[in-house]
């Protein structure tokens, strides 16, 4: 959703969804989330429908009426109203509508987890699942293969996570399989971790160390980063013995690499000149 018109359409639909679900329970929100994500799946599978719902020559009310005729009686009224509000807005490209629908479904899913005070748990579970996938090359290749049918990959993720994570975590992992916001699987997982953290008004700091940090070290690092960025920071720590020592920290596009490996590589480059 790079354009201002796409962001505006998403923002209006998001505000309406939040207002309409202010008193909803966690299960009710989860149902709405699943319905909106199913609509996103329909939009992904039908390019002609995406084009029809973003046709600038048609009034927004006509596009909203089309959605209502397609969805009424098949999903909750809350979902119908949210998607109708979305398509009534303007989009620069049909693909932006798909991205906005996905994000709206993810928002509802995270709101469901928030009702249960489980956002931090979902955030950590998504990150740990990403680490598990990264550490298994065969699993990473299988799940990241966008040319393969999505159903077997969804089944694999369900089998891997069933009974081990919060329901929202498993559903978000499935969203990552289809490429959240047009990203690859691993990048989608990373982005979903960050979106979840943002719902808690936190910045994500990816930390790489040679050996586990103590609780005191983590608290100290988090405090320093929070002071630097002016908001709470959620640490995601990856233990990688190959860095030999020191700490590497990435926050957004900022990278602070103080690892021994980096210093050795710099020394090698200096001697090679």
């Amino acid at each position: 959703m790079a354009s201002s018109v796409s962001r505006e359409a998403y923002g209006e639909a998001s505000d309406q969804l939040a207002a309409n679900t202010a008193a909803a329970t966690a299960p009710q929100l989860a149902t709405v989330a699943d319905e909106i994500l199913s609509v996103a799946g329909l939009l992904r599978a039908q390019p002609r429908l995406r084009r029809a719902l973003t046709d600038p020559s048609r009034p927004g009310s006509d596009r909203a009426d089309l959605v209502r005729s397609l969805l009424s009686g098949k999903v909750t009224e809350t979902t119908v109203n949210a998607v109708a509000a979305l398509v009534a807005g303007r989009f620069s490209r049909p693909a932006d509508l798909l991205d906005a629908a996905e994000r709206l479904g993810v928002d509802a899913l995270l709101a469901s987890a928030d009702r249960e005070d489980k956002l931090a748990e979902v955030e950590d579970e998504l990150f740990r699942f990403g680490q598990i996938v990264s550490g298994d090359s065969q699993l990473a290749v299988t799940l990241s293969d966008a040319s393969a049918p999505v159903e077997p990959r969804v089944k694999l993720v369900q089998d891997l996570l069933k009974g081990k994570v919060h329901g929202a975590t498993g559903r978000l992992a499935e969203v990552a399989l289809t490429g959240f916001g047009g990203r690859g699987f691993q990048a989608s997982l990373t982005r979903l971790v960050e979106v979840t953290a943002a719902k808690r008004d936190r910045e994500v700091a990816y930390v790489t160390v040679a050996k586990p940090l103590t609780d005191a070290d983590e608290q100290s690092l988090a405090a320093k980063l929070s002071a630097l960025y002016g908001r709470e920071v959620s640490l995601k720590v990856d233990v990688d013995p190959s860095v030999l020592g020191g700490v590497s920290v990435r926050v957004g596009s900022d990278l602070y690499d103080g690892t021994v490996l980096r210093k050795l590589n710099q020394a090698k480059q200096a001697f090679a000149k």
Side-chain angles (χ1 to χ4, degrees), residues 52-224:
L53 293 176
T54 55
D55 184 351
S57 68
R58 301 179 66 173
S61 57
D62 284 0
R63 299 195 299 270
D65 287 344
L66 174 57
V67 157
R68 292 184 184 282
S69 68
L70 289 171
L71 300 182
S72 292
K74 300 173 183 175
V75 296
T76 61
E77 192 65 21
T78 298
T79 296
V80 173
N81 290 336
V83 179
L86 189 64
V87 301
R90 292 187 300 131
F91 290 87
S92 299
R93 304 175 305 144
D96 291 339
L97 173 60
L98 171 57
D99 291 347
E102 279 185 331
R103 181 60 188 268
L104 203 62
V106 166
D107 286 345
L109 198 55
L110 294 177
S112 172
D114 194 26
R115 287 286 194 278
E116 300 177 313
D117 197 25
K118 296 292 186 181
L119 276 179
E121 181 179 314
V122 169
E123 180 188 322
D124 286 339
E125 287 174 347
L126 279 173
F127 175 68
R128 289 199 300 270
F129 180 55
Q131 284 186 303
I132 290 170
V133 174
S134 297
D136 186 326
S137 58
Q138 184 174 352
L139 179 62
V141 168
T142 299
L143 294 180
S144 301
D145 186 1
S147 66
V150 71
E151 290 81 7
R153 292 184 287 138
V154 167
K155 178 65 165 57
L156 177 56
V157 166
Q158 290 174 342
D159 290 343
L160 287 169
L161 298 181
K162 185 177 181 180
K164 300 175 183 176
V165 298
H166 189 278
T169 305
R171 191 68 180 91
L172 288 169
E174 293 175 25
V175 170
L177 288 171
T178 55
F180 181 58
R183 301 171 180 85
F185 175 64
Q186 293 277 21
S188 293
L189 278 181
T190 298
R191 181 59 186 147
L192 288 167
V193 168
E194 293 165 356
V195 169
T196 306
K199 292 294 183 183
R200 301 196 298 133
D201 195 27
R202 290 173 181 258
E203 197 79 45
V204 176
Y206 298 96
V207 180
T208 304
V209 290
K211 60 182 181 180
L213 297 174
T214 65
D215 289 344
D217 286 339
E218 284 199 21
Q219 291 170 7
S220 176
L221 179 58
K224 290 176 182 177

Side-chain angles (χ1 to χ4, degrees), residues 123 127 190-191 193-194 197-198 201-208 218 221-237 247-258:
E123 180 188 322
F127 175 68
T190 298
R191 181 59 186 147
V193 168
E194 293 165 356
D201 195 27
R202 290 173 181 258
E203 197 79 45
V204 176
Y206 298 96
V207 180
T208 304
E218 284 199 21
L221 179 58
K224 290 176 182 177
L225 291 170
S226 294
L228 179 63
Y229 285 93
R231 66 190 299 195
E232 290 295 309
V233 170
S234 179
L235 296 186
K236 301 303 173 196
V237 181
V247 180
S248 171
V249 179
R250 180 173 65 80
V251 181
S253 60
D254 298 334
L255 176 63
Y256 310 95
D257 192 346

